[in-house]
Coordinates of all heavy atoms in Angstrom, one line a residue:
V220 N 10.4 45.0 -8.4 CA 10.9 46.4 -8.1 C 12.1 46.4 -7.2 O 13.1 47.1 -7.4 CB 9.7 47.2 -7.4 CG1 10.2 48.5 -6.9 CG2 8.6 47.5 -8.5
A221 N 12.1 45.5 -6.1 CA 13.2 45.4 -5.2 C 14.5 45.0 -6.0 O 15.5 45.5 -5.7 CB 12.9 44.5 -4.1
L222 N 14.3 44.0 -6.8 CA 15.5 43.5 -7.6 C 16.0 44.6 -8.6 O 17.2 44.8 -8.7 CB 15.1 42.3 -8.4 CG 15.0 41.0 -7.6 CD1 14.5 39.9 -8.5 CD2 16.3 40.6 -7.0
A223 N 15.1 45.4 -9.2 CA 15.5 46.4 -10.1 C 16.2 47.5 -9.3 O 17.3 48.0 -9.7 CB 14.3 47.0 -10.8
V224 N 15.7 47.9 -8.1 CA 16.4 48.9 -7.3 C 17.8 48.4 -6.9 O 18.7 49.2 -6.9 CB 15.5 49.3 -6.0 CG1 16.3 50.1 -5.0 CG2 14.3 50.0 -6.5
A225 N 17.9 47.1 -6.5 CA 19.2 46.6 -6.1 C 20.1 46.6 -7.2 O 21.3 46.9 -7.1 CB 19.0 45.2 -5.5
L226 N 19.7 46.2 -8.4 CA 20.5 46.2 -9.6 C 21.0 47.6 -9.9 O 22.2 47.8 -10.2 CB 19.7 45.6 -10.8 CG 20.5 45.6 -12.1 CD1 21.7 44.7 -12.0 CD2 19.6 45.1 -13.2
I227 N 20.1 48.6 -9.9 CA 20.5 50.0 -10.1 C 21.5 50.5 -9.1 O 22.5 51.1 -9.4 CB 19.2 50.9 -10.2 CG1 18.4 50.6 -11.4 CG2 19.6 52.4 -10.1 CD1 17.1 51.2 -11.5
G228 N 21.2 50.1 -7.8 CA 22.2 50.5 -6.7 C 23.5 49.9 -6.9 O 24.6 50.6 -6.8
V229 N 23.6 48.7 -7.3 CA 24.9 48.0 -7.5 C 25.6 48.6 -8.7 O 26.8 48.8 -8.7 CB 24.7 46.5 -7.6 CG1 26.0 45.8 -8.1 CG2 24.3 45.9 -6.3
S230 N 24.8 48.9 -9.7 CA 25.4 49.5 -10.9 C 26.0 50.9 -10.7 O 27.1 51.2 -11.1 CB 24.4 49.6 -12.1 OG 23.9 48.3 -12.4
V231 N 25.2 51.7 -9.9 CA 25.7 53.1 -9.6 C 27.0 53.0 -8.7 O 27.9 53.7 -8.9 CB 24.6 53.9 -8.9 CG1 25.1 55.1 -8.3 CG2 23.5 54.2 -9.9
W232 N 26.9 52.1 -7.7 CA 28.1 51.9 -6.9 C 29.3 51.5 -7.7 O 30.4 52.0 -7.5 CB 27.8 50.9 -5.8 CG 28.9 50.6 -4.8 CD1 29.4 51.4 -3.9 CD2 29.7 49.4 -4.8 NE1 30.5 50.8 -3.3 CE2 30.7 49.6 -3.8 CE3 29.6 48.2 -5.5 CZ2 31.6 48.6 -3.5 CZ3 30.5 47.2 -5.2 CH2 31.5 47.4 -4.2
G233 N 29.1 50.5 -8.6 CA 30.2 50.0 -9.4 C 30.8 51.2 -10.3 O 32.0 51.3 -10.4
I234 N 29.9 52.0 -10.9 CA 30.4 53.1 -11.7 C 31.1 54.1 -10.9 O 32.2 54.6 -11.3 CB 29.2 53.7 -12.4 CG1 28.7 52.8 -13.5 CG2 29.6 55.1 -13.1 CD1 27.4 53.2 -14.1
Y235 N 30.6 54.4 -9.6 CA 31.3 55.3 -8.7 C 32.7 54.8 -8.4 O 33.7 55.5 -8.4 CB 30.5 55.5 -7.5 CG 31.2 56.3 -6.4 CD1 31.3 57.7 -6.5 CD2 31.8 55.6 -5.3 CE1 32.0 58.4 -5.6 CE2 32.5 56.3 -4.4 CZ 32.6 57.7 -4.5 OH 33.3 58.4 -3.5

Side-chain angles (χ1 to χ4, degrees):
V220 167
L222 286 172
V224 167
L226 180 63
I227 290 170
V229 168
S230 298
V231 167
W232 178 71
I234 291 170
Y235 171 77

